[in-house]
Amino acid sequence: PMGPVAFDIDVLDGTLTIGGDGTSNLLASTASIDVTGTSVLNINDSLALNGAQITRSGSAEINLAAGRTLNVVNGATFWPNCLVRFS
């Protein structure tokens, strides 16, 4: 995106992949990502949570691609039970 993402994303079923274009993606403080059930979130690009939050529940998976970074700043949260698999 050209600017910060400022909306909520709920991954309730299936797979959501954040594609890799080589630029860092920023989630603003008004954004959140909720990954639940057996869903999967693949993060294939660097991601910064600037006050945003990512939550995971059930047996959902969050995967961060090799060579990518996840920055959690300015009161952002990455929980509960946020197991991230690095490839």
Side-chain angles (χ1 to χ4, degrees), residues 30-70:
T30 55
S32 68
I33 298 176
D34 185 27
V35 187
T36 62
T38 58
S39 56
V40 177
L41 172 64
N42 295 313
I43 304 171
N44 292 342
D45 218 341
S46 295
L47 183 64
L49 307 178
N50 187 5
Q53 69 177 1
I54 293 181
T55 57
R56 172 190 163 273
S57 62
S59 58
E61 295 181 20
I62 299 173
N63 302 302
L64 183 64
R68 303 302 181 199
T69 59
L70 178 64

